[in-house]
Amino acid sequence: MSAFDPRLTPARPDLAAKHLEGKVSAERFVDGTVLEVFEAEAPVRRAPQFNAQLDTEALKGERVTVYEFTDEGWCWGQLDADGFVGWLPREALALPGPAPTHKVAALRTLVFPGPSIKLSPPVEALSLGCRLVIRRVRDDLAVTQAGDCVPIRHLAPIDAKEDDFVAVAERFVGVPYLWGGKTSFGLDCSGLVQVALHAAGVACPRDSDMQEGALGAPVARAADLSNLRRGDLVFWEGHVAIVRDPATLLHANAFHMAVAVEPLAEAVRRIAAAGSEITAVKRLG
């Protein structure tokens, strides 16, 4: 199993996905069960405990292939969107419904139980990227499969693509930093990059080291950052930032404990002083 990244490989010494039989060692191999995230977001944790490390989050409407259910209410499975493997609470998942027709295009939106936004308090808050089945539009509200209502101006067709992923990331400025997060309530550096790129229709892995290996082509040496342009990605070990313009970076970071715009030179000096040098600068096609 050493050749397989455990973050992306549904395999443990005691259990593995059936399609990995003959490729990895495990006591037993099972076919997975496809479920769908029912809650606004579902934590994906390192272990089946509520205090275990948060590795990432799955958003409403995402599919998950589950390989194990525990009596304590946990599921071990793999996210269909980016292949990440981990533990999710069973209560956040449900049997798949019809394919989503729309996705949340606003930073955050509210879901109401009926057409009156004054008389009925919202039942749910959804972040950018959550997926919904919309059955009809009633005035300015989209009616979901469950009969709830969402402002239509906060949604986009499921196949819509943003023109500028940096502009998407800029909407998150001020959102708190959260290791493993990828919602408007909190996210980390690679979560910000992934959410923004997905909104633009660009496939993107979850963690910064994966992103460094998979995205774009090298465009600059660490010692020469004079030719950066909007949308370039700057990588350090364990960190990634988006070039907003030749003079500033946009990144979720633990120094500001938020998504922040920071002068490029200042960020490079600050991070170098903490012991980390730039490992790559990549430009998307």
Side-chain angles (χ1 to χ4, degrees), residues 31-267:
D31 293 315
T33 300
V34 177
L35 296 178
E36 184 175 285
V37 177
F38 174 75
E39 301 290 349
E41 67 275 330
V44 181
R45 298 194 181 276
R46 187 70 56 89
Q49 301 168 349
F50 284 105
N51 61 353
Q53 178 174 313
L54 178 68
D55 282 334
T56 187
E57 292 177 304
L59 303 181
K60 187 181 187 71
E62 287 192 44
R63 300 289 171 91
V64 184
T65 303
V66 174
Y67 296 100
E68 182 182 23
F69 298 89
T70 74
D71 293 338
E72 294 75 28
W74 290 92
C75 298
W76 183 70
Q78 184 172 35
L79 307 185
D80 286 8
D82 60 15
F84 214 95
V85 175
W87 292 93
L88 299 89
R90 177 66 180 88
E91 63 184 5
L93 306 178
L95 292 174
T101 61
H102 289 71
K103 59 186 176 182
V104 176
L107 182 65
R108 187 182 304 139
T109 192
L110 298 175
V111 180
F112 296 89
S116 174
I117 63 173
K118 296 180 181 179
L119 301 179
S120 302
V123 295
E124 197 171 31
L126 302 179
S127 292
L128 187 146
C130 287
R131 306 171 187 181
L132 298 167
V133 178
I134 300 302
R135 287 307 183 197
R136 65 183 186 278
V137 176
R138 179 178 178 180
D139 297 326
D140 292 329
L141 296 174
V143 181
T144 71
Q145 172 84 357
D148 296 325
C149 294
V150 186
I152 188 62
R153 58 173 48 92
H154 290 173
L155 304 179
I158 195 67
D159 57 354
K161 298 178 182 179
E162 295 277 358
D163 294 330
D164 181 2
F165 87 92
V166 183
V168 177
E170 287 173 327
R171 300 178 203 166
F172 287 85
V173 170
V175 169
Y177 179 84
L178 174 65
W179 179 277
K182 56 182 238 184
T183 77
S184 61
F185 296 95
L187 74 175
D188 61 17
C189 63
S190 55
L192 176 66
V193 171
Q194 186 186 57
V195 168
L197 284 175
H198 280 180
V202 178
C204 178
R206 178 57 178 91
D207 289 345
S208 62
D209 63 318
M210 300 175 183
Q211 294 170 357
E212 181 176 346
L215 297 175
V219 295
R221 293 180 294 108
D224 180 14
L225 302 178
S226 60
N227 295 312
L228 297 184
R229 71 185 188 195
R230 185 175 175 87
D232 288 346
L233 300 175
V234 182
F235 291 93
W236 294 261
E237 184 176 355
H239 188 60
V240 59
I242 302 167
V243 175
R244 183 170 176 261
D245 57 52
T248 59
L249 294 177
L250 175 68
H251 56 156
N253 65 91
F255 178 78
H256 296 94
M257 282 307 295
V259 178
V261 174
E262 186 174 10
L264 170 64
E266 182 178 313

